[in-house]
Amino acid sequence: WNPFGENTAPADVVAWTSLQNVTDHHRYTQEVFNATITGDAFELPAGPVGVALGFEWREDDLNFEPAPASTGDITGFNATQAIGGVTSVTEFFGEAIVPLIANAPFAEYVGLELGARFADYSSAGEVETYKAGGEWQLFDSLRLRGMWNVATRAPSVFQLFRAGDQNFPGYTDPCRNDTGAAGGEAALNGTPVAIGSPEWNFCAGWLGLSTAPGDQAATDAVLDSFWQSDSQVESFLFGNPNLEVEDSETITYGIVFTEQLPFGDIQAAVDYYDITVQDPIGFPTTNQIIQRCVTTLNLASPECLASPRIGSGQLGGVVNILENLPGEIHTEGVDVQIGYSTELFGGDLSVNALLSFLDEYSISGTDYAGVAYGLGVVFPEFKSSLRTTYRHNDWQFSWQWTHISELDDYFYSSTYAGTPYAANYPFIDAIDYHDFSVRWFATDNVDFTVTCENCLDQEPQAGTIHGSAAGLGVDTSLYDILGRYWRFGVRARF
């Protein structure tokens, strides 16, 4: 029997390996009621004060039913669980545009933009948000702008009611012996512990071993040889109905330039942003959960009940619940937008460029700007997108060039920083994507499009051990993983 031949597998083998139901069912329902009043409240010397007052009520209803094949019956795939829940929010808001100066030298317009919002979430309670900004039009082609914003984000239905999806994160067993191999001395977090000490009793009890005086020698022998048999541990991810909102503060300011020149129209904008998020919603790391147990030295504590062990003594079934993590997320950088348009050879040419410069992306004080950090989390210091479009009569041609700067491999850079190897640790190469498209407007209501995406067939670097662009760790929101591919489309309007 040739297992690799065509149509050679017996019918019973095919039946055993076939999945009968692989369809997940998602139902998301949102009900919205809102009312808004807009108009001019009164006149100032520089013009009318525009106001908007409003009310909104929303209800989100999520129901997710995974296919039977998704609940743990497929070897090699993590099990997902059904989710169901409802949240609602009631909001009142007000905004105002206040003109301060108009038609003055170097101040064609100076004005304020103000806003406030009150929200009452069924899950997170009452919160308030505010914004205050300004605009200064020096003359027709040059405008300055800035905004300060205090905002919140309430937990989603998924974050509130997630029901224990299976996961296999990396971890370090604190009760493995001091060598981390088959032989050594009983230890806690790598430090040898004496027979009968609180730390020794803790690990012995955690592994289900007797601490009675007559059994201590045998228990110590087990602890001396106990080591972690796997680098990963089974865990279960849960939502948390007690989550609070995330708070953020955003500061932006920039300059906008527009000008009509003999050789074409130019638009450009440069904006600086500074964003801080307090109490971000996220999962603690598995090692953090385990160490919370160690800190208590109490196997009956809630922290230790979340880190159980299986019959072999190895950890298994760690419970990881979403929480408002301590610390903050802070990012700042500069975004640049440049546009140019003109008539050329009887057609219309437009060029638009978006440039993003990331100066900092720090999580709890650690800056990850320019770094690839595990499982697809990447923060390039520079990204750009240039799109050129030319239309002549019924034909349109477009080219888009996307560039992503190189990134350090965080695990190597953090491990070898300050050593002779620091200059040689791997990094994720910079990458460029080129997309081309042609569109034919056959009639006023029908057009055809041919698009080649990633035409040079670029692949993300996959040569590092820990790098986030290796294997399944590719960040698909940033990198293309399909290679060159073609799309053909037709659009008709009736």
Side-chain angles (χ1 to χ4, degrees):
W1 175 54
N2 177 12
F4 301 105
E6 186 176 357
N7 298 323
T8 59
D12 58 338
V13 173
V14 174
W16 187 79
T17 58
S18 298
L19 300 176
Q20 303 303 316
N21 187 343
V22 294
T23 303
D24 295 336
H25 294 274
H26 300 255
R27 189 192 74 232
Y28 176 73
T29 304
Q30 184 179 70
E31 297 182 11
V32 180
F33 173 80
N34 59 43
T36 305
I37 300 174
T38 62
D40 295 334
F42 52 88
E43 286 279 341
L44 291 177
V49 176
V51 298
L53 301 174
F55 163 84
E56 181 167 299
W57 173 86
R58 296 190 308 275
E59 182 179 83
D60 297 311
D61 186 344
L62 171 67
N63 183 272
F64 168 64
E65 296 180 6
S70 301
T71 57
D73 294 336
I74 308 177
T75 300
F77 290 84
N78 295 347
T80 57
Q81 305 301 322
I83 300 174
V86 180
T87 64
S88 63
V89 59
T90 301
E91 296 180 318
F92 297 91
F93 61 88
E95 297 184 355
I97 302 295
V98 183
L100 301 178
I101 303 174
N103 303 317
F106 300 104
E108 291 192 1
Y109 175 81
V110 178
L112 298 176
E113 180 179 344
L114 307 173
R117 181 178 295 260
F118 169 83
D120 186 1
Y121 290 93
S122 60
S123 60
E126 299 178 355
V127 297
E128 301 87 27
T129 61
Y130 313 94
K131 70 174 182 179
E135 180 180 321
W136 177 13
Q137 185 92 30
L138 283 84
F139 38 86
D140 286 343
S141 60
L142 188 62
R143 176 164 52 96
L144 305 180
R145 60 188 179 189
M147 181 69 69
W148 168 76
N149 191 319
V150 174
T152 61
R153 189 188 75 84
S156 66
V157 179
F158 182 75
Q159 291 175 323
L160 292 169
F161 302 111
R162 194 172 183 178
D165 296 335
Q166 189 182 40
N167 191 32
F168 289 90
Y171 81 109
T172 300
D173 194 320
C175 286
R176 67 180 185 177
N177 60 34
D178 62 338
T179 66
E185 295 184 39
L188 181 63
N189 286 331
T191 301
V193 293
I195 295 176
S197 67
E199 294 79 8
W200 185 92
N201 288 334
F202 173 74
C203 278
W206 205 0
L207 269 67
L209 303 173
S210 173
T211 58
D215 298 328
Q216 287 183 341
T219 294
D220 193 57
V222 173
L223 294 177
D224 286 346
S225 61
F226 180 75
W227 62 301
Q228 182 177 326
S229 62
D230 198 328
S231 62
Q232 295 176 292
V233 63
E234 182 182 36
S235 73
F236 298 98
L237 306 178
F238 288 87
N240 183 353
N242 297 316
L243 287 170
E244 299 179 355
V245 297
E246 296 176 336
D247 296 307
S248 70
E249 181 181 35
T250 301
I251 298 173
T252 63
Y253 50 83
I255 182 171
V256 180
F257 175 80
T258 60
E259 188 64 76
Q260 293 181 335
L261 301 173
F263 53 84
D265 299 338
I266 294 177
Q267 310 89 35
V270 180
D271 289 285
Y272 166 82
Y273 62 87
D274 184 308
I275 304 171
T276 301
V277 178
Q278 300 280 358
D279 304 318
I281 296 172
F283 287 105
T285 68
T286 304
N287 281 331
Q288 287 174 332
I289 296 171
I290 295 170
Q291 288 301 321
R292 290 172 182 176
C293 169
V294 172
T295 300
T296 69
L297 292 182
N298 177 7
L299 295 175
S301 67
E303 292 81 3
C304 288
L305 294 176
S307 300
R309 291 183 181 270
I310 58 179
S312 64
Q314 300 291 328
L315 284 164
V318 175
V319 176
N320 197 339
I321 301 175
L322 272 173
E323 60 185 53
N324 291 93
L325 299 173
E328 65 181 30
I329 299 173
H330 177 257
T331 183
E332 61 179 296
V334 175
D335 290 332
V336 179
Q337 180 178 356
I338 303 172
Y340 171 74
S341 59
T342 188
E343 294 183 4
L344 183 67
F345 303 128
D348 297 316
L349 173 70
S350 65
V351 181
N352 289 281
L354 298 175
L355 313 175
S356 179
F357 301 87
L358 180 64
D359 181 63
E360 178 183 346
Y361 195 105
S362 61
I363 302 175
S364 298
T366 301
D367 188 5
Y368 297 101
V371 164
Y373 179 78
L375 291 183
V377 181
V378 295
F379 303 101
E381 291 182 309
F382 175 69
K383 294 187 297 182
S384 66
S385 176
L386 174 67
R387 185 176 185 87
T388 302
T389 301
Y390 179 71
R391 178 167 178 175
H392 188 277
N393 295 330
D394 296 331
W395 292 89
Q396 178 176 289
F397 306 88
S398 295
W399 164 55
Q400 180 163 309
W401 169 30
T402 302
H403 175 81
I404 303 169
S405 63
E406 73 176 24
L407 300 109
D408 291 337
D409 185 311
Y410 172 79
F411 292 96
Y412 279 99
S413 60
S414 61
T415 301
Y416 296 117
T419 73
Y421 304 102
N424 299 316
Y425 60 74
F427 56 88
I428 310 302
D429 285 330
I431 197 166
D432 295 274
Y433 296 112
H434 295 274
D435 306 330
F436 298 91
S437 70
V438 178
R439 174 174 289 181
W440 174 43
F441 297 89
T443 70
D444 290 339
N445 297 318
V446 179
D447 59 78
F448 300 86
T449 305
V450 178
T451 303
C452 175
E453 299 197 17
N454 190 6
C455 278
L456 300 186
D457 202 21
Q458 296 291 321
E459 298 179 355
Q461 179 178 335
T464 68
I465 296 175
H466 296 291
S468 67
L472 295 178
V474 172
D475 186 339
T476 55
S477 68
L478 189 65
Y479 293 104
D480 173 70
I481 61 173
L482 299 178
R484 181 191 302 115
Y485 60 98
W486 296 84
R487 289 192 292 111
F488 302 87
V490 58
R491 184 175 62 175
R493 291 174 293 275
F494 301 96

